[in-house]
Amino acid sequence: MSATTNVRASGSASQGIIEKLGLPRPLIWGFVGLLIFMIGDGVESGYIAPYLADHGAGTETNAAVIISVYGLLVTLGSWLSGALSDVWGPRRVMLIGLVVWVVLQVLFLSVALPTENFMLMLVVYGLRGIAYPFFAYGFLVWVLGASPAHRLGSAVGWFYFAFTGGLPTLGSLVASGTEPIIGQYATFWVALGLVVLGGVVTLVGLRNAQGGGRQAPPEITTGRSLVNSVSIAFTSPRVGLGCLVRVVNTAPQFGLFVFFPTVFAVDLGFGTSGWLRLVFILGAANIFANLFFGVLSDRLGWHRTLRWFGCIGSAVAVLLFYFLPQYVGDQYWVSAVCAALFGITLAGFTPISVLMSLMAPGQKGASIAVLNLGAGAATFVGPLIVAIFLAPLGAGGVTVIFAALYVLAGVAVRWLQVPEEAQQAVEAGVALQTLVEDETTTAPHPGR
């Protein structure tokens, strides 16, 4: 066998492994860059609130106000990223997100923090909340537009693997290593460097990749796209229902974080550090499960994966997470297993992104905008449920409500049907992939 044949065979084998993993080969550097970008964005997540309180905000309440404004802008940016990607193209939206993040972070670090000006901190840091959704969710639109229809679940799994791997998991890990050595303020600058690096890796690595341009038909204006990204939830009820399913996905998680610290740190006696380790276990399990369920859903079916592993699985897992540790007492390993199980089942919702992108052909960006709006809404729906029902029903009652929401979401999955034309495109992709794999299997080995 010649050297050239060896190289070709090796390249084909490498390409085959990548494709079997469901990773879209043209977008590889996008996933790498997104991971680095989100690590940078997640560096501050573990200490930003107390730092603001001690350096200009004055009180924990004021710090909470700044972070709340930031959260509202994150929700706004999540919605806008899909609508604008439709008419401007994901590449342009991602570039805007990168530039806004860098400029506002420089202002935050060089002007707002040194002067300890509360209003300036509120405006600059709050506005920066719009930046990472532009970059990350703009790339999600790119992924959904450029990936083969029959591999969308795998591609979305890789997206969330990179997204949650950076924010907050590896980001917090980086901060834990740099903060004791260079301090918290200098660690902010490290975050800036990582964001710049991630942005450059993504945009340079994707410079020749297809799917970064305009998604919408020529007659759709920016204003019309923004209107469509709201009206589609009513004109296409399936999309609106999908938004509600997305809210249910993580609303219980944000709700549990309100009262579970008391349950595990105080009532069960694990302390704050014990509770934080459970949070890490939940997040780490979720990272890899996102990838697993993304690949699995392409084989098992998106609806089936979402209903049984995401909705029903999460209903069972959230009940176990609260009631089983209460029953066994101070057995920490039981709580750790329950936290991991909940993190895994949350990843079963991965196919909702795929279904939302297919349920309204020609309006992919608008559908993703509604999906992202649901993700943002979950951050306050969950705590709101706790605020209303914790006093009259107690922790166990609120947990049962969350489990019931998951069951209702599982019932709703039956109505998240993909239009016939989109389903035919998926089936055609599966048939083509099967043909290619059959030809690869039966073809003679190079050099023989």
Side-chain angles (χ1 to χ4, degrees), residues 211-290:
R214 181 185 177 95
Q215 311 276 320
E219 66 272 13
I220 300 297
T221 64
T222 300
R224 172 53 59 187
S225 180
L226 292 173
V227 171
N228 288 346
S229 67
V230 175
S231 63
I232 191 175
F234 303 96
T235 59
S236 180
R238 289 175 299 191
V239 174
L241 184 61
C243 176
L244 294 178
V245 172
R246 179 61 184 87
V247 172
V248 172
N249 176 192
T250 48
Q253 179 184 358
F254 288 110
L256 296 181
F257 286 171
V258 174
F259 65 95
F260 265 29
T262 300
V263 172
F264 287 92
V266 179
D267 297 347
L268 292 175
F270 297 144
T272 301
S273 61
W275 161 245
L276 291 177
R277 284 196 298 272
L278 292 178
V279 174
F280 174 79
I281 291 169
L282 189 157
N286 180 256
I287 292 171
F288 293 98
N290 280 320

Side-chain angles (χ1 to χ4, degrees), residues 21-342:
L21 288 174
L23 184 60
R25 191 176 185 86
L27 303 181
I28 287 178
W29 287 110
F31 292 102
V32 174
L34 176 66
L35 175 62
I36 299 172
F37 182 100
M38 297 312 299
I39 290 174
D41 190 83
V43 162
E44 67 190 30
S45 60
Y47 71 92
I48 183 65
Y51 189 89
L52 291 175
D54 294 338
H55 296 82
T59 65
E60 291 183 356
T61 301
N62 286 343
V65 170
I66 294 174
I67 294 174
S68 296
V69 172
Y70 174 86
L72 289 175
L73 269 294
V74 167
T75 302
L76 177 64
S78 299
W79 165 60
L80 287 175
S81 62
L84 295 179
S85 291
D86 236 9
V87 289
W88 294 355
R91 188 193 308 274
R92 184 178 174 188
V93 171
M94 292 174 68
L95 179 60
I96 292 172
L98 174 62
V99 172
V100 169
W101 204 104
V102 171
V103 170
L104 291 178
Q105 182 75 346
V106 170
L107 288 175
F108 179 66
L109 297 180
S110 61
V111 181
L113 281 181
T115 59
E116 296 192 351
N117 186 312
F118 171 72
M119 287 305 301
L120 189 58
M121 292 164 61
L122 178 68
V123 172
V124 173
Y125 187 78
L127 286 175
R128 208 203 76 194
I130 206 170
Y132 96 71
F134 268 45
F135 188 88
Y137 293 132
F139 182 57
L140 177 60
V141 174
W142 198 334
V143 168
L144 290 167
S147 302
H150 62 291
R151 290 288 177 86
L152 282 173
S154 304
V156 171
W158 279 104
F159 170 83
Y160 283 109
F161 176 84
F163 184 97
T164 58
L167 174 67
T169 311
L170 292 180
S172 297
L173 186 63
V174 169
S176 69
T178 59
E179 189 271 337
I181 300 174
I182 63 176
Q184 294 179 340
Y185 179 74
T187 296
F188 283 125
W189 288 99
V190 172
L192 175 63
L194 288 169
V195 164
V196 171
L197 176 61
V200 170
V201 167
T202 299
L203 296 175
V204 172
L206 298 180
R207 64 188 183 280
N208 297 321
Q210 296 182 350
R214 181 185 177 95
Q215 311 276 320
E219 66 272 13
I220 300 297
T221 64
T222 300
R224 172 53 59 187
S225 180
L226 292 173
V227 171
N228 288 346
S229 67
V230 175
S231 63
I232 191 175
F234 303 96
T235 59
S236 180
R238 289 175 299 191
V239 174
L241 184 61
C243 176
L244 294 178
V245 172
R246 179 61 184 87
V247 172
V248 172
N249 176 192
T250 48
Q253 179 184 358
F254 288 110
L256 296 181
F257 286 171
V258 174
F259 65 95
F260 265 29
T262 300
V263 172
F264 287 92
V266 179
D267 297 347
L268 292 175
F270 297 144
T272 301
S273 61
W275 161 245
L276 291 177
R277 284 196 298 272
L278 292 178
V279 174
F280 174 79
I281 291 169
L282 189 157
N286 180 256
I287 292 171
F288 293 98
N290 280 320
L291 180 56
F292 172 77
F293 282 120
V295 175
L296 178 68
S297 66
D298 285 333
R299 293 166 169 77
L300 185 63
W302 301 320
H303 291 86
R304 191 175 299 162
T305 302
L306 174 59
R307 177 184 295 114
W308 295 110
F309 289 99
C311 301
I312 305 304
S314 294
V316 174
V318 75
L319 291 174
L320 290 175
F321 197 6
Y322 176 77
F323 288 104
L324 189 57
Q326 295 289 322
Y327 179 76
V328 301
D330 60 353
Q331 301 296 313
Y332 188 81
W333 69 271
V334 173
S335 298
V337 170
C338 291
L341 179 62
F342 186 50

